[in-house]
Amino acid sequence: QDQLQQKIICPGPVTCLTASPNGLYILAGVAESIYLWEVSNGNLLAILNRHYQDLTCLCFTDDSSHFLSGAKDCLALVWNLYNVLQAEPSQIPDPRHVWSRHSLPITDLCCGFGGPLARAATASLDQTAKLWEISSGELLLSVLFDVGIMAVTLDLSEYHMFCGGMDGSIFQVDLCAWPVQRDRSFQTERENGKVFKGHRNQVTCLSVSTDGSLLLSGSHDETVRLWDIQSKQCLKTMNHKGPVTNAFIVLAPANMFNPDGKPSVPLPKFSRHLHGTESSDEPGTEGVTLRLGMHQQEPGQSYLEKAERMYSQMYSTREKNLVGDQEHLTIQVSELEEEVSNLRKINKDLFDFSTRIITKPAK
């Protein structure tokens, strides 16, 4: 029987929620604010107020260095987590990018692989899905549909983008189609074999399997469907007792099939006040606190500085390899030169021998 492990009270109704891939941080959208908690101790590290209307979606990059937020104010913001953690509690850090090319509320966000060099997709009620580059903030692709888009996701190879519409259709967009156009229109009657049909109401969530062969979709028609991407056929339908708001494919944890498996460390209660502003005489503040995340960062070293140091190490290793290759190449050249000289000597001997035979007077 399922048991409630813990109930955590938040400052208000949570409209979107996500955890960093490294497991250190939790993001929650409460009204127009973004709340950032540290999982290990429940400290509230930051409250970001840069959106003008309620949050609708949040997502992290795969390396947990950045996160994206979308809201009903038609804006999608890219945040550098390190800058957010290092900012003073009284200051609201500036987002790295502000994407304002949508004309209606943002409904979904999806981030690919590559950390700060990854690409991100946004979906909106303005009937478009857009693909962006996080490093530069540039718009790479904008696809116009016949209906509003409620969900978006990318496959692992980022060869296709899948978009769920308000009418229940799921559209497959080829990102490597030729000719390359930044503004495209997806017309259902012309795109044969690129539409998944089966849901009777708006699609709320999409997820692709790690091998890129299966697509999972949830809808307000109270069903979750599993699709074969190649044939566009529905392999399985799972019925629910209400509208499906979220569903995704994830690798099973190691202890999932262990009936006795329980969390070894209980989650602390999440604070409702910013870290450092609470009263020091509150009960439960005594004892040893394990700090992760913010205090793991090396002092005075930004993410870009770390990346630069890593790249310099890579280049130094590459230079060493090149030096070793040059030494090996020098040895090969000397061996080839010796072989060529031997062949020249043999050729000269043959020429002299042939000359003596040809010029030898007849008896």
Side-chain angles (χ1 to χ4, degrees), residues 101-104 122 124-131 141-149 161 163 171 173 181-189 191:
R101 301 290 291 273
H102 285 289
S103 57
L104 286 176
T122 58
S124 172
L125 293 177
D126 62 5
Q127 302 184 1
T128 65
K130 300 182 186 296
L131 191 68
L141 175 67
S142 179
V143 184
L144 176 64
F145 298 88
D146 298 330
V147 297
I149 303 301
M161 180 170 63
C163 306
F171 310 101
V173 179
Q181 297 176 332
R182 192 161 77 168
D183 295 295
R184 292 160 52 183
S185 295
F186 189 98
Q187 298 181 359
T188 307
E189 62 275 5
E191 303 286 351

Side-chain angles (χ1 to χ4, degrees), residues 14 16-20 24-30 33-39 46 48 57-61 66-69 79 81 84 270:
V14 176
C16 50
L17 182 71
T18 189
S20 62
L24 299 181
Y25 304 101
I26 290 287
L27 281 175
V30 179
S33 301
I34 303 172
Y35 285 74
L36 174 64
W37 281 283
E38 191 170 7
V39 176
L48 307 176
C57 44
L58 290 163
C59 72
F60 272 95
T61 56
H66 292 71
F67 62 89
L68 288 71
S69 61
W79 303 85
L81 179 61
V84 171
F270 286 0

Side-chain angles (χ1 to χ4, degrees), residues 29 46 82 98 117 128 175 270 278 287 294 326 350 355:
Y82 184 77
V98 178
L117 303 178
T128 65
L175 300 180
F270 286 0
E278 302 95 335
M294 182 171 64
Q326 289 176 355
L350 287 174
T355 304

